[in-house]
Amino acid sequence: MARHLRPLIRGKTISAVDVRRARVLRPTPPQIFCRTLRGAKFTGLSRRGKYLLFQLRGKTAGQPISLLGHLGMTGRIFLAPKGRRLPKHTAVALDLGASRLVYEDTRYFGRLTLDTAVVCRLGPEPLEDEFNVATFARTLKRSRQAVKVKLLDQGVVAGIGNIYASESLFRARISPGMAANKLTVTQVRQLRLAIRAVLAEAIEFGSTVPLNWGGNQPDGLFYFGRAPEAPDFYAERLRVYDREGQPCPNCGQPIKRITQAARSTFYCPHCQRV
DNA sequence: CACCATGTTCCTTG
DNA sequence: CCAAGGAACATGGT
């Protein structure tokens, strides 16, 4: 998403701010949000974990502004022509001249805010050098929680959600119920590599999906891999997630579904025994 | 009607 | 102080 949007918004100036659901700005007050962004210019866009970090320069003093975005479970951010009708669950629309940057979110779980405090609580970036075996092992040693549940903790390593937690453990052949502090160093090493491979592949997949939703596109959520326009070979992209009862791609035994911390976990009981 | 859903944060309990 | 579990948030799909 960051790679897709970066070139589209760079250099664009916000001429008007339309907030339709103030909830997604939390905790920034709507007034502050609008006043800060009106007249500001986009200078860059980066990502940290699941967060998008928009960089801008303010209207009056050209002061640097950080705008933080999170898509929650159902959020989408896209550029649409000004004339087009906004989708039903549009939370914020930023006027950029001929086009608009639209943030829409059916469930309004996501955020678009000036408060960037959450990013300093995030663990290492999984694809950077800071995510190393020593740190990862030390963090896991401190917890008796099931490793699957621990992977959802963004303070351990940033950016793994419920889908890729199951996928990573399957790839590492580790049982999701295993206590985090019981993993051997070999398993920690395998898990780290699995996480990297799974996420790198997911980003690669994302780059093949057209993200130019304009409200008239299918409701594809690109990271779920169900966008109808996605290339065919990605149908098999997720090996265990949402595949209860289907044969394991390794051994053919049926994939199981269990509940951990009130979330679904999918795994192969044969391939992931320890 | 019941149950499920890609995420985070707050509250309670230990 | 921390860990862990559960509810809450809000809407839509099956």
Side-chain angles (χ1 to χ4, degrees), chain A residues 13-26:
Chain A
T13 299
I14 302 171
S15 55
V17 180
D18 183 5
V19 175
R20 311 182 147 222
R21 275 284 180 142
R23 171 184 152 78
V24 306
L25 311 184
R26 65 196 183 278

Side-chain angles (χ1 to χ4, degrees), chain A residues 162-234:
Chain A
N162 202 40
I163 294 173
Y164 298 130
S166 283
E167 293 297 317
S168 299
L169 287 166
F170 173 72
R171 189 153 182 144
R173 295 177 170 251
I174 295 167
S175 169
M178 189 170 181
N181 62 357
K182 295 292 187 200
L183 267 70
T184 64
V185 183
T186 307
Q187 288 178 313
V188 173
R189 221 173 257 132
Q190 283 171 339
L191 184 53
R192 172 174 163 278
L193 290 176
I195 288 167
R196 289 189 159 191
V198 162
L199 293 182
E201 203 175 292
I203 290 170
E204 175 63 26
F205 162 75
S207 73
T208 71
V209 178
L211 299 175
N212 55 321
W213 302 293
N216 57 357
Q217 295 279 329
D219 279 347
L221 298 170
F222 74 98
Y223 49 91
F224 198 79
R226 296 298 164 85
E229 71 274 21
D232 218 31
F233 61 93
Y234 285 115

Side-chain angles (χ1 to χ4, degrees), chain A residues 78-196:
Chain A
F78 56 90
L79 213 63
K82 189 89 127 286
R84 183 137 52 196
R85 200 175 123 265
L86 291 169
K88 182 177 175 188
H89 297 294
T90 298
V92 179
L94 303 177
D95 220 314
L96 302 179
S99 59
R100 263 192 307 217
L101 188 67
V102 180
Y103 170 61
E104 70 131 339
D105 186 356
T106 316
R107 287 167 77 179
Y108 305 106
F109 281 2
R111 290 207 296 160
L112 191 64
T113 178
L114 297 174
D115 178 28
T116 60
V118 283
V119 296
C120 59
R121 293 203 292 269
L122 294 175
E125 262 317 298
L127 300 178
E128 302 292 326
D129 292 343
E130 53 178 354
F131 181 47
N132 57 59
V133 178
T135 322
F136 193 29
R138 208 178 319 129
T139 311
L140 294 177
K141 271 280 175 270
R142 283 193 274 122
S143 172
R144 270 163 296 193
Q145 232 174 359
V147 60
K148 154 63 164 42
V149 178
K150 210 59 206 164
L151 287 183
L152 297 179
D153 181 346
Q154 302 299 297
V156 174
V157 49
I160 302 174
N162 202 40
I163 294 173
Y164 298 130
S166 283
E167 293 297 317
S168 299
L169 287 166
F170 173 72
R171 189 153 182 144
R173 295 177 170 251
I174 295 167
S175 169
M178 189 170 181
N181 62 357
K182 295 292 187 200
L183 267 70
T184 64
V185 183
T186 307
Q187 288 178 313
V188 173
R189 221 173 257 132
Q190 283 171 339
L191 184 53
R192 172 174 163 278
L193 290 176
I195 288 167
R196 289 189 159 191

